[in-house]
Amino acid sequence: MSSTRKVMICGDIVWAHNEVRGMLGDLAEIVRMDSPSREAFYEDLKGKYAGTVVIYRHNSSSLRIGEFDEDIIAHLPESIKFIGHNGAGYDQIDVHACIKKGLCYSMPLVHDTSVYLTIPSSFILSGESGITVSNTPGAVDDGTATTALYLLISTARQYSIAERQARSGLWKNGLKPAHDPSALTLGILGLGGIGMTLAKYAHGFPMKATYYYSRNPVKDCPDWIEYCHSMEELFSKSDVISLHVPLKPETTGMIGAKEFAMMKKGAILINTARGKVLDEEALIEALKSGQLSAAGLDVYPDEPNINPALLDFMNVTLLPHMGTETQESQKIMEIRALENLRVYLTGGTPRDIIPECQHMTK
């Protein structure tokens, strides 16, 4: 076993190379996870990664070793006490496996954990020393909110269809009259960081009205954003519905046939959250029936694969998960995750501990 404590960089650092050395270099030895497979990773945990106490994790590491599922968590040595995840969503980490093992981690805090967060009390292992996990709250707000805003504009004004028409030489033939965003009401499911940023951006039109539903009303919410007491109320009032909820067991498939039936006939749906919060077959049926007049999607249940049925809808704007694909957002996320690691290594409490692990810091 190595006597030198180590920081494992598990996944890509694209923009913050200098910051890695500057923020962590004097606190621990920096090792990069370069194992070609999960099996090799397990062997390397006993060898060149021995002595690792914290992990910086990016989803790109899944290309080599897969998601941080129950099996990987079980193989992590007891020396590892903290996982700093780069990303707002942490569905690629088995949180329950971490908690059952006495692990917790820190990641960019999911902006919309105010919606549907339920952890069975049997999993709360207060008093046990485990792995703490953090995420990067706020770091993805601008990038994801501008993506949602683009999808809102594209679907309301039919810009995606119009561009394809122009490129194919069809001009405006067959295009139906579109809508000004200012004539539409916006409903936001999950008014966390991304949802609030979208609301502020869209208020520049302004929208005809803006509503939101979260599990609890948001403190200091601008008076031009009205709280709805249920999803049904939100859906019944909104022309455009934008989803901003984290992917959890309780949010998987939360928008299905029942929920689409609650929406106005001809509503527009925007999803920049996670693909699995939607029942995709119910979405397709809602588009076929006209219950939805359009949809704007940046996320899918089986990325990078897109359901071929969606490709046939001219009224659906499709993006390949572009929410945080900006230099600025990615560098901010990297630095935020590294800062969580630095604070932990210096004996402090990182600010971005995920909700499931908050009990570990008390």
Side-chain angles (χ1 to χ4, degrees):
M1 285 289 291
S2 171
S3 61
T4 302
R5 68 177 186 173
K6 298 175 182 177
V7 175
M8 183 193 300
I9 304 299
C10 190
D12 295 339
I13 296 281
V14 179
W15 305 103
H17 295 292
N18 294 335
E19 286 80 1
V20 173
R21 187 67 56 184
M23 296 171 71
L24 303 177
D26 61 341
L27 300 175
E29 178 185 349
I30 298 169
V31 295
R32 297 188 179 274
M33 195 285 290
D34 57 3
S35 306
S37 67
R38 177 172 291 212
E39 291 71 24
F41 176 68
Y42 291 161
E43 288 300 312
D44 290 336
L45 284 171
K46 296 177 285 187
K48 60 185 176 181
Y49 306 145
T52 296
V53 294
V54 298
I55 296 176
Y56 164 93
R57 183 189 181 276
H58 186 277
N59 283 346
S60 60
S61 65
S62 64
L63 297 175
R64 291 174 177 265
I65 62 174
E67 298 182 1
F68 269 40
D69 57 15
E70 184 176 12
D71 191 52
I72 278 190
I73 299 304
H75 278 80
L76 294 180
E78 293 301 317
S79 63
I80 295 174
K81 298 298 183 182
F82 191 89
I83 300 173
H85 177 71
N86 177 351
Y90 45 93
D91 46 285
Q92 287 203 17
I93 299 175
D94 189 328
V95 176
H96 288 178
C98 289
I99 296 175
K100 285 189 290 184
K101 188 175 180 177
L103 306 184
C104 214
Y105 44 73
S106 107
M107 315 162 40
L109 204 66
V110 172
H111 321 290
D112 305 306
T113 51
S114 56
V115 181
Y116 296 108
L117 178 62
T118 305
I119 299 297
S121 59
S122 59
F123 287 134
I124 303 303
L125 306 175
S126 58
E128 295 193 17
S129 176
I131 298 176
T132 304
V133 183
S134 70
N135 60 355
T136 53
V140 302
D141 290 358
D142 284 346
T144 308
T146 54
T147 300
L149 183 66
Y150 164 76
L151 292 172
L152 186 161
I153 296 171
S154 176
T155 50
R157 291 297 313 274
Q158 300 185 66
Y159 285 153
S160 179
I161 305 173
E163 180 180 2
R164 282 174 280 175
Q165 295 271 90
R167 289 180 181 275
S168 61
L170 297 176
W171 199 235
K172 292 184 282 188
N173 295 338
L175 289 181
K176 298 177 181 179
H179 295 284
D180 290 323
S182 58
L184 303 175
T185 57
L186 172 62
I188 297 174
L189 183 62
L191 195 70
I194 297 172
M196 180 66 79
T197 302
L198 171 63
K200 291 176 179 178
Y201 288 167
H203 191 56
F205 291 125
M207 304 297 293
K208 183 177 180 181
T210 301
Y211 303 101
Y212 80 98
Y213 172 68
S214 293
R215 189 173 59 172
N216 298 303
V218 175
K219 295 181 180 179
D220 302 319
C221 187
D223 58 10
W224 47 267
I225 307 178
E226 182 178 336
Y227 178 68
C228 293
H229 293 83
S230 66
M231 282 200 299
E232 184 172 9
E233 181 185 359
L234 178 75
F235 294 163
S236 68
K237 289 183 173 181
S238 304
D239 299 311
V240 181
I241 297 160
S242 191
L243 306 181
H244 301 282
V245 297
L247 182 61
K248 305 279 186 179
E250 57 269 31
T251 62
T252 300
M254 69 181 293
I255 308 299
K258 177 182 175 182
E259 288 71 28
F260 285 121
M262 296 176 183
M263 299 177 188
K264 291 183 178 181
K265 181 75 172 180
I268 296 171
L269 183 77
I270 307 298
N271 189 14
T272 57
R274 285 291 187 267
K276 290 182 180 179
V277 303
L278 285 174
D279 178 335
E280 193 170 59
E281 291 305 314
L283 168 67
I284 291 169
E285 287 303 314
L287 288 164
K288 286 181 178 178
S289 70
Q291 181 64 17
L292 291 180
S293 65
L297 306 175
D298 187 43
V299 289
Y300 310 89
D302 185 31
E303 296 180 6
N305 302 307
I306 298 177
N307 190 322
L310 293 172
L311 304 178
D312 295 332
F313 291 103
M314 292 292 286
N315 54 339
V316 176
T317 300
L318 303 173
L319 294 177
H321 206 148
M322 295 294 290
T324 58
E325 293 297 320
T326 72
Q327 296 179 27
E328 295 78 13
S329 290
Q330 290 182 3
K331 184 170 185 178
I332 292 170
M333 291 166 69
E334 290 174 357
I335 292 174
R336 185 78 173 245
L338 294 171
E339 175 65 13
N340 285 321
L341 296 178
R342 189 192 69 79
V343 171
Y344 177 82
L345 289 171
T346 55
T349 300
R351 59 178 172 170
D352 299 326
I353 305 300
I354 62 167
E356 295 92 324
C357 295
Q358 289 289 333
H359 67 282
M360 304 290 289
T361 64
K362 296 178 180 179

